[in-house]
Amino acid sequence: MKDRQIRFFDTTLRDGEQAPGYSMTLEEKVRMAIQLEALGVDVMEAGFAIASPGDFESVRQIAGTVKMATVASLSRALAKDIDAAAEAVNGAAHPRIHTFLATSDLHLKYKLRMTRETALEQVKKMVAYARGKCAEVEFSAEDASRTDIDFLCRVAETAIAAGACVINLPDTVGYSTPEEFYALVHAVHTRVPNMDRAILSVHCHNDLGLAVANSLAGIRAGARQAECTIGGIGERAGNAALEEIVMGLRTRHDYYKDLSYNVRTTEIAKTAQLLSRITGVKIAPNKAVVGANAFAHESGIHQHGVMANAKTYEIMTPESVGVKNTELILGKHSGQHAFEARMADLGYSLDAAAAARLFSEFKKLADRKKTVTDRDLVALVEASAQVSSDPDKQYVLESFVVNSGNKMSSTACVTLRRGKKTYKEVALGTGPVFASIRAVEKIIHHPFALEDYQIQAVTEHRDALGEVSVKISDETGVYRGRGVSTDVIEGSILATLAAVNRMLDETQGGLGTGAASNAQHSFANDMLGGGHTDKLEDM
Ligand code: KIV
Ligand code: ZN
């Protein structure tokens, strides 16, 4: 019987995480992996084990956490990489080593300084070596789309003979067109004599905006695994977006001839939102499938059509990707039972302590805001998920007062608590947000630069919650934080504290003393003309 099953290989945690601005902590990667499993991906590439001890550890932890999906680690076709990958995925229920070697003449000559024959030898040796360590081995011919087709077929045949069960054809630099890519996949599919012993995979980058089109063309030509990322994140212009490929197959099953897949499309919106919250990178409103406008109908003609029959302008339903049309509203009279039931509906299972803490935050919010929507609840619970290793060492906002106007400098007086001690500082700034963050910096005695600051209303109305995301950095790295409040200054302080607690957790084991830092940038110096790219001026 012909194989009609498309395997989804998600590389959000490897190719996606590699992109600037998308790095995740170990804990965040594990959270994302759990959601990817709920989404129903067949394989998840958890990282590149040899790249760093952090990468190794996240592959190892994800391998130990995920039960249904295959967990893969990337490795170059080198013994030491394969050793690290094998060790990292060893604890997985279904482990896979994904090894690769570039095969185009351009890469062979200038990057690897290797002849085609040496490359073939290396593929044979290293795939066999990997097979000795793991039952499932995938081989990728990097830059396949710019590789001589006869040579590519020889590479695929060699890798399969050495034990690879998946042959991946990457369009590494997003250079191909759908017609060309169809021809490439079709050629490998039909010309490689032992192709019946492996499945073909596609891995397309989006430099010309063709990653999804090329992936779908590859599937039509016989590929049965699609490598992709949530939201299409990835190197440069990104990878093919998982949600677009799967919704393409689902919506046009007439055209794609009823191919099947294990992805639960109703988990798509939740997965994309989780990634956005974790990374602090917003989803573009017009992003296909998961953007806020993907199902919004603004023009009168469209609205009229949709009201008469949704199919006039809607080719897929919001429900099919997990977007709920009806939002339940809670208010200050809602009890803990209703609150917990709503949280469970939204997919959060809370233990008793978390439920009590969040219910009290919900009550405070309901006092400030007439109605509390699902989006408010998600923002609340996600912001409170940012805990550092030792809660007693975290700085917590006790109170703040700001004084600001258009004819004066702003001042902020901020009081923080850590353990049993309270700390108070006053600071000046060109705006109240600047002054407040500066006061935080003075309290913690640890200079940091503000890399990014974003604020967004969670819902549409005047009493909307403001969700603030910040990225701060010191010499040890970049740290993200989120804060939500109906008050943007409070949201900004909460977001800064979330990032600061992470930074201190990492740099000083949570010790945050005045002695510690020799950071080159300070938030204050940057803001006062240090030439850094902070964006807070005049806020
Ligand atoms: O784009 C690419 O070629 C890759 C391979 C390492 C699979 O990411
Ligand atoms: Zn890639």
Side-chain angles (χ1 to χ4, degrees):
M1 210 178 83
K2 266 189 126 190
D3 181 9
R4 308 297 302 162
Q5 171 87 11
I6 302 301
R7 287 88 176 162
F8 276 84
F9 175 116
D10 182 275
T11 182
T12 304
L13 298 171
R14 198 278 297 171
D15 224 343
E17 209 251 352
Q18 232 161 273
Y22 286 95
S23 62
M24 297 174 222
T25 63
L26 173 65
E27 174 208 9
E28 290 167 339
K29 285 187 195 171
V30 173
R31 236 183 123 200
M32 200 60 216
I34 292 169
Q35 180 54 32
L36 288 171
E37 175 138 272
L39 176 66
V41 303
D42 301 281
V43 188
M44 64 180 86
E45 188 160 54
F48 192 172
I50 191 102
S52 70
D55 260 53
F56 179 90
E57 191 49 27
S58 45
V59 179
R60 203 183 63 79
Q61 286 217 13
I62 291 169
T65 306
V66 165
K67 298 281 167 287
M68 303 299 291
T70 296
V71 177
S73 170
L74 186 67
S75 72
R76 289 167 298 183
L78 295 173
K80 61 177 179 178
D81 280 41
I82 292 169
D83 291 343
E87 196 185 330
V89 296
N90 185 33
H94 310 282
R96 179 183 292 185
I97 294 177
H98 175 195
T99 188
F100 74 97
L101 188 76
T103 51
S104 66
D105 287 339
L106 192 67
H107 279 236
L108 286 175
K109 182 167 174 196
Y110 293 102
K111 191 178 83 176
L112 300 175
R113 297 177 199 284
M114 230 183 228
T115 63
R116 286 186 182 181
E117 291 313 312
T118 324
L120 272 180
E121 266 310 302
Q122 187 78 357
V123 170
K124 186 175 161 190
K125 226 168 71 190
M126 287 301 122
V127 170
Y129 183 71
R131 256 315 289 276
K133 299 199 162 243
C134 185
E136 214 169 282
V137 174
E138 168 171 340
F139 175 75
S140 282
E142 191 189 8
D143 208 20
S145 55
R146 294 190 298 172
T147 300
D148 173 76
I149 190 69
D150 294 328
F151 181 60
L152 185 61
C153 288
R154 283 180 69 205
V155 168
E157 185 181 349
T158 305
I160 296 169
C165 60
V166 181
I167 298 296
N168 183 39
L169 304 178
D171 182 21
T172 302
V173 289
Y175 181 73
S176 206
T177 68
E179 292 78 9
E180 282 174 331
F181 204 63
Y182 179 98
L184 176 96
V185 175
H186 188 260
V188 176
H189 192 220
T190 51
R191 284 171 46 186
V192 173
N194 52 2
M195 200 63 236
D196 57 323
R197 285 165 42 197
I199 66 166
L200 258 185
S201 168
V202 288
H203 175 117
C204 298
H205 279 269
N206 204 30
D207 299 66
L208 294 173
L210 293 170
V212 171
N214 286 339
S215 303
L216 289 168
I219 287 172
R220 292 252 303 151
R224 290 296 175 259
Q225 175 178 284
E227 300 198 354
C228 42
T229 60
I230 303 300
I233 69 167
E235 286 273 5
R236 308 180 309 278
N239 290 54
L242 178 146
E243 65 278 7
E244 296 179 25
I245 299 178
V246 73
M247 290 315 285
L249 296 181
R250 181 185 155 122
T251 309
R252 295 305 312 277
H253 55 90
D254 57 327
Y255 184 73
Y256 292 105
K257 303 279 183 278
D258 293 320
L259 292 166
S260 61
Y261 45 82
N262 291 323
V263 169
R264 292 175 201 98
T265 62
T266 49
E267 290 289 319
I268 285 176
K270 194 170 161 199
T271 314
Q273 280 154 16
L274 177 65
L275 179 67
S276 165
R277 285 183 188 286
I278 282 179
T279 59
V281 182
K282 298 285 171 216
I283 303 171
N286 65 332
K287 169 79 185 62
V289 183
V290 292
N293 294 347
F295 298 97
H297 303 281
E298 196 70 33
S299 96
I301 295 175
H302 287 204
Q303 283 174 353
H304 179 241
V306 169
M307 268 147 56
N309 180 340
K311 286 191 178 147
T312 50
Y313 288 100
E314 232 171 53
I315 58 167
M316 50 194 160
T317 63
E319 293 79 14
S320 65
V321 298
V323 173
K324 293 198 177 74
N325 259 343
T326 48
E327 279 215 359
L328 255 149
I329 309 257
L330 297 179
K332 65 177 176 186
H333 300 300
S334 305
Q336 184 154 354
H337 186 70
F339 169 78
E340 282 183 39
R342 197 66 212 130
M343 283 312 222
D345 274 357
L346 291 169
Y348 296 102
S349 65
L350 306 172
D351 60 31
R357 181 170 44 78
L358 281 164
F359 182 65
S360 118
E361 283 181 35
F362 156 75
K363 278 289 188 189
K364 279 188 228 152
L365 178 61
D367 267 343
R368 288 179 175 188
K369 197 172 178 295
K370 227 167 71 198
T371 53
V372 179
T373 67
D374 288 349
R375 281 176 287 167
D376 294 325
L377 291 178
V378 171
L380 206 67
V381 73
E382 291 292 340
S384 81
Q386 317 162 85
V387 280
S388 75
S389 58
D390 183 350
D392 274 350
K393 288 182 179 161
Q394 288 191 66
Y395 284 101
V396 178
L397 176 63
E398 185 83 22
S399 63
F400 72 93
V401 179
V402 292
N403 190 14
S404 187
N406 62 347
K407 299 253 162 75
M408 59 186 285
S409 293
S410 297
T411 47
C413 175
V414 175
T415 308
L416 303 182
R417 181 169 41 77
R418 193 171 56 146
K420 294 196 167 51
K421 276 185 147 180
T422 56
Y423 306 82
K424 188 185 225 162
E425 277 292 351
V426 176
L428 278 175
T430 49
V433 171
F434 172 13
S436 308
I437 298 181
R438 174 72 188 114
V440 169
E441 193 186 36
K442 280 173 84 177
I443 290 174
I444 66 165
H445 293 285
H446 185 115
F448 57 83
L450 186 71
E451 300 286 344
D452 194 21
Y453 174 96
Q454 290 183 37
I455 183 161
Q456 180 164 305
V458 173
T459 49
E460 293 79 16
H461 306 290
R462 282 187 194 197
D463 62 352
L465 270 182
E467 184 173 33
V468 180
S469 308
V470 300
K471 276 187 197 161
I472 63 171
S473 68
D474 68 358
E475 72 279 15
T476 64
V478 177
Y479 303 89
R480 281 189 304 268
R482 268 190 320 271
V484 290
S485 171
T486 49
D487 181 316
V488 295
I489 311 297
E490 184 175 27
S492 303
I493 299 174
L494 292 174
T496 306
L497 286 179
V500 155
N501 284 325
R502 278 184 166 157
M503 175 177 73
L504 297 180
D505 217 23
E506 184 71 26
T507 56
Q508 301 160 10
L511 290 177
T513 63
S517 186
N518 50 11
Q520 311 230 314
H521 281 303
S522 113
F523 171 74
N525 289 342
D526 288 339
M527 296 308 300
L528 297 172
H532 198 70
T533 53
D534 288 308
K535 295 175 185 151
L536 262 176
E537 236 133 0
D538 304 324
M539 293 194 72

